[in-house]
Amino acid sequence: MIRAALVLAVALALGSPALAAPSAVKDTSFVDQTGARLLQQRVVIAAPPAAVWRALTDQAAYRQWVAPNSFIDLRVGGSIEVALSAAGKPGDPSNIKQEILGYVPQRLMVFRNLSVPPVPGGAVYPKLAIVLELNPAGEGTEVVLSQVGYGAGADFDALYGFFKQHNPEFLLNLKAFAERS
């Protein structure tokens, strides 16, 4: 169950063990003008935006660092889907599925969770929007992972705490993969 929860933190969140120090991830979370919490964490990756984008959107690459049974349909209205079972297929009800709401190649992806994941507070996860930004940073890429729309209440608090802890793992796994690819 913990592995499944970590796979989710991108789609999101597992992969091979992180190879970089957690201090590489900076937390820049804040409360927006509506009073909603925005969980935001960032990391600089020593790889160009094209390599990071490939790691996030190419099905074969994603399978190498997130989960072997991942399925990507890169288009508005498409999805990123992660099977929690070794025999998983696209569309299985136990899969974690994110709908792609929009993207700008090598710069931005916005998505929303469509399933209730097995994590604390998972029932409210579909109420959030997840934004991945790729910003040029010297010869590398700064990746900013933002989860927008955290409200008040025990479920939102539990989900916020879960992702505050596990999003850095996702970012560090992305960093490790992109830098060695």
Side-chain angles (χ1 to χ4, degrees):
M1 208 41 95
I2 291 297
R3 179 172 169 80
L6 295 178
V7 167
L8 168 64
V10 151
L12 263 150
L14 191 75
S16 57
L19 301 176
S23 62
V25 176
K26 305 296 181 212
D27 189 316
T28 54
S29 302
F30 59 94
V31 175
D32 72 18
Q33 68 270 22
T34 70
R37 290 175 287 176
L38 190 144
L39 179 59
Q40 184 176 78
Q41 293 153 319
R42 53 186 71 222
V43 68
V44 175
I45 298 175
V52 178
W53 184 254
R54 180 183 161 278
L56 291 167
T57 62
D58 178 82
Q59 183 168 286
Y62 201 75
R63 287 178 172 177
Q64 290 178 43
W65 71 277
V66 175
N69 284 355
S70 299
F71 313 99
I72 297 176
D73 178 12
L74 182 63
R75 62 184 173 85
V76 173
S79 64
I80 298 173
E81 195 169 349
V82 177
L84 300 180
S85 89
K89 296 177 182 67
D92 284 352
S94 64
N95 291 356
I96 295 166
K97 187 172 183 179
Q98 313 284 343
E99 178 185 14
I100 299 169
L101 302 174
Y103 65 92
V104 177
Q106 299 183 31
R107 294 193 41 214
L108 178 77
M109 184 181 298
V110 180
F111 50 97
R112 180 180 304 273
N113 186 63
L114 297 176
S115 58
V116 177
V119 298
V124 297
Y125 192 37
K127 295 181 179 186
L128 302 180
I130 299 104
V131 180
L132 272 168
E133 298 171 72
L134 281 60
N135 303 310
E139 304 229 357
T141 306
E142 178 190 49
V143 176
V144 182
L145 173 58
S146 302
Q147 292 175 315
V148 182
Y150 281 97
D155 280 345
F156 279 117
D157 292 345
L159 191 64
Y160 187 94
F162 175 82
F163 282 114
K164 185 173 180 74
Q165 179 182 354
H166 292 291
N167 282 353
E169 186 173 354
F170 170 80
L171 290 171
L172 292 173
N173 288 335
L174 172 60
K175 176 179 173 64
F177 180 81
E179 287 179 352
R180 73 174 181 265
S181 293

